[in-house]
Structure formats: structure tokens, C-alpha cells
Amino acid sequence: MSKSVRSTPLRRIAAWCAALAVAFSPVVGLSGAVAAPAHARTAPAADFTAQVRSIEHATGRVELAGTGPTGGSVAIAVDGADTVWTEVRDGVWSAGLRVGPGPRVVHVTSQVTGETVDLPVEVLGLLPPTWVPTIDPFTRTITLEGSGVSRPARYVVTDDGEPVADVVAEAGAPWRAVLRDRAPGRHDIVVERVFDGTVNGIGRDSYELSGAAEVGTASASRETRRTTLAGRAPVGTTLRFADASGPVLGADGEPLVATTSTDTTWRAELPFPETVRFHRITVTTFDDGTPIGTTDALVTVPIAITGSVEELADGSVRLSGTGEPGGVVALETASGTPVDGADGRPITAAIGRGWELVVPRATLPGDVVVARQRVQGVEQGALRLVLPRLPVRPAPEHGDGPGAGPGVSTGNHRAAPQVTAGRITAVPTGRLAYTGDDPSVSLGVAGVLLAAGLGGLAGARALGRRGAHRG
């Protein structure tokens, strides 16, 4: 092997200019895309050039290419490594060598012209690309967001081997790829980070895209006699429903179907269950007629309100019954106006094991009062309770008279047997059906009159016997 020929000053200046031009050439870095393998240019055979074609940072492999006199040899040297020789064929040459980490200078010398080109390179210590995934089964998207490297880079994303995204990030900038229209099921994602002319890092991960619907609302209303389900599901899907009795049918007798809207939301109104306390409903998602997921929704059916009326000795009325624990019973007039107590606030009672209100009769207007149940602010049925008639008394003086008895009190009592009472129903109170009067009053008066009549009859007979004896 011959030694390098020292070049003339003019050639040395030209060589250094070429080295600087190659060092800052976009072939080493990326400018919106990865540098392609480079043959410097179509040049006369006597021209000698050298440039970096690619750097594989994980292994330190540096690929070089250039031009030179055909048949000549090119020596490639770098500190800490053996010199590599290659031959110029058809006016071009290429070679590769391993370079240690950090900044280095590769010296490329033509053994024909004696020119030397110095190429600065830097091998980086890199980890495979990483990212933060966001999986949205309803919009059918997988979003990947990762941090960049100190060089402009491309990120090529494949899903199960199919290219699905190709994004470019500037030096040091983060990158983001959105994979749309993903089918339910498993997705094997591979991300290749490409810069400095080759792939420099590969990341892999797998994700499962569910096709099951989400049920955000599940409630049953005794007021509307309907069960409401609502939530989100993959765009473009339909939903069907089933319970322990089989498919849930609509008003037309066909299986009830809900369609997901473009914003991924859905809503369905199902028949009210009359005989269960906890209603389990299975929601199945269909995509073009194929089931892709199921979700179970558990609906708590509120207990129907029950109630009865009892007249107390002091003229007050005790209203009591059962209902949904945690609910509230409020009194209303027949027209729906809240009944207020002496403090001006609506009369209500919390439901525990039951509910109870003791109210002065004069506080309750009319012949009936409505006890309405609300659970978490939602109306859940009502009862229409028949009241005892208001007594007719002289006008009150100094605060005496109807309404002057004890105020409204609340409490709980042992739960009475439950009855189905979704609609407003009347509860009998033991009064006369026509007048509403207490029958004990009339019977007492009749008893007194009968006793007086029998006493008078006995006296008359005794007087008659005494007169006959004297005669």
C-alpha cells in the first residue's frame, strides 16, 4: 500500500473546502426527510469527493461514499480504529467502518490524487423510541405521543405490519401520530425512528381496542314507567338489549335497537320492570351485524311508595308508609302545590325503614293530600291519601281551635307490607264512604237515645202496676 501523496497548496485548499461542504451537507442530517444513499454527483473521474451516507448509532456503523479516479484506492482512517481500504470502480466508491461513541473525525484519502477529506461524525447513545398511548375505542383511534431526539427524524408507524402513519419531527421536538379507524381487537404497533440515513431505534407495543359499549346512565322511573340507559359506543355501531327474560322488545314487538351517533353517544328507553328490584340488562354492540362486545348494566328499581292515614285523638293526622330508602316524601295538594308547614317550608319526610308525618288536620287542605316520593331529586311515584273531614267548630279565640295542636313531626316506623303503587292511588281510611264522618259518633248518640227510651218504658210500666194495686 502506498503512502498518501501530499497535495499542492491549491489542492489542499480545495480539499478542505470539499470537507467543509460534506460536513455540513444535508445528507448527514435530515431536512424534512431521511437522507438517501448518496453518490456525490456525476463528476469527471479525476475528481475526488467523500461524504457520510448514514450513521447507525446503535452499532456505531458509519457508511461513506464518494467519487474518485477509477482504479484508484481510498484509505479511510479514524482515531481508535484500523484503516479501511476500498477501490474506486466506475468513478465511485463506498465503504463502512465502526466508530466509537461521541464526536469523531473520519479522514478519507485518495491514493491517486493525494487529497484528504476530513468528515466530522458523532455517534449518539440512544434508547429505542418510547411514547404515551391514548386508546379511544369509541372514536376508534390510537394516539401515540413521544419525545424527539437531537436530530430531525421521521417516525414510521405500522399496525400489524401495515404502514399507518409517517410523521416528521424537528430536532428536539416531540412527535405525535394518530391512528384512525382501528377495528376492535388486538393491535401490534411498531415505530421506527429514522434519521442520519437509516433506522435508528425501533419501539414495539400492543393494545386491545374494545368494542363494548359504555353505560353511563342506568335508571328506572316509576313516574314515566320507563328504564333509561345511555352512554358511549364505537362510532357506526348499533346496540341491542337483553335481560333474564330474553331480548328486550320495542313497541313494535321487534328487538329494541339503539344507534350510536357521530359523537359516540347513545340512548335507549326500555320497558319498566314490574316485578324485580335489581334489573340486569346486557348491552351488545354490533358492527355491520357482527357482535364485537358486551356490557352489563345493573338498574336499581325504586321501591313503590305506600301510605296510610290515621286520625289521632288530638285531631292531628298521622301519615305513614314505606318507600325507597334514602328517598324523600313531600306533601302536595291535589293540584300539585306543595303543602307548607307552620314554618313556611314544604312538609317532607326522609325515608328510612319507612316514613311518617304527624300533621294538624287544619294544615292539610281539602279532602285529599298527595304524598310524592323523590329519589335523588327525581320523582318516583305518588299516592293520593283520603283525609278525615275537617270538624265544624266555633271561630277560634286567642289562638285556640283547629291548627293550634302540635306541629309537624317526622319519624320512622316498622315497614308496612309493600304494594305496587306506581300510579297515584287512593288509600281508604276507615271513614264513611259518602259523608266521610266517623261512624262511632252516630252510633254513640243512637245508643244514648235507645237507653233513654228503654228506661222510660220501664218507668211507665211500674207506674201502671202501682195504680192497679190501689184500685
Side-chain angles (χ1 to χ4, degrees), residues 228-447:
T228 301
L229 299 181
R232 300 179 67 200
V235 173
T237 60
T238 57
L239 309 175
R240 296 186 183 184
F241 310 89
D243 57 15
S245 301
V248 176
L249 305 180
D252 57 359
E254 296 296 324
L256 186 65
V257 176
T259 301
T260 306
S261 64
T262 55
D263 64 356
T264 76
T265 60
W266 61 272
R267 182 182 180 89
E269 299 286 338
L270 285 66
F272 185 83
E274 298 288 351
T275 59
V276 297
R277 168 67 168 155
F278 301 104
H279 190 199
R280 184 178 298 276
I281 303 171
T282 299
V283 183
T284 303
T285 309
F286 288 83
D287 188 11
D288 290 333
T290 301
I292 59 175
T294 60
T295 303
D296 283 343
L298 186 61
V299 182
T300 300
V301 181
I303 297 174
I305 183 174
T306 66
S308 62
V309 179
E310 178 185 0
E311 185 177 13
L312 304 181
D314 63 358
S316 298
V317 176
R318 177 186 288 121
L319 309 175
S320 60
T322 60
E324 177 68 23
V328 175
V329 173
L331 299 185
E332 300 176 357
T333 65
S335 62
T337 303
V339 177
D340 295 336
D343 57 2
R345 294 183 298 181
I347 299 175
T348 61
I351 305 174
R353 296 184 61 187
W355 64 274
E356 182 179 290
L357 286 166
V358 177
V359 189
R361 176 62 184 89
T363 303
L364 303 175
D367 297 329
V368 297
V369 67
V370 175
R372 186 171 301 279
Q373 175 179 244
R374 290 181 175 87
V375 181
Q376 296 181 347
V378 179
E379 295 183 358
Q380 293 289 357
L383 284 175
R384 190 181 186 90
L385 302 174
V386 178
L387 300 172
R389 295 175 68 90
L390 283 168
V392 179
R393 298 180 182 178
E397 297 180 2
H398 306 294
D400 297 332
V408 177
S409 64
T410 63
N412 296 327
H413 69 98
R414 183 174 301 173
Q418 177 183 346
V419 297
T420 301
R423 299 178 178 82
I424 296 178
T425 59
V427 177
T429 62
R431 306 293 183 256
L432 292 176
Y434 178 71
T435 66
D437 290 333
D438 191 333
S440 60
V441 177
S442 300
L443 291 176
V445 173

Side-chain angles (χ1 to χ4, degrees), residues 146-153 155 168-176:
S147 56
V149 292
S150 60
R151 310 281 175 83
Y155 294 86
V168 175
E170 297 299 325
W175 60 275
R176 184 173 187 265

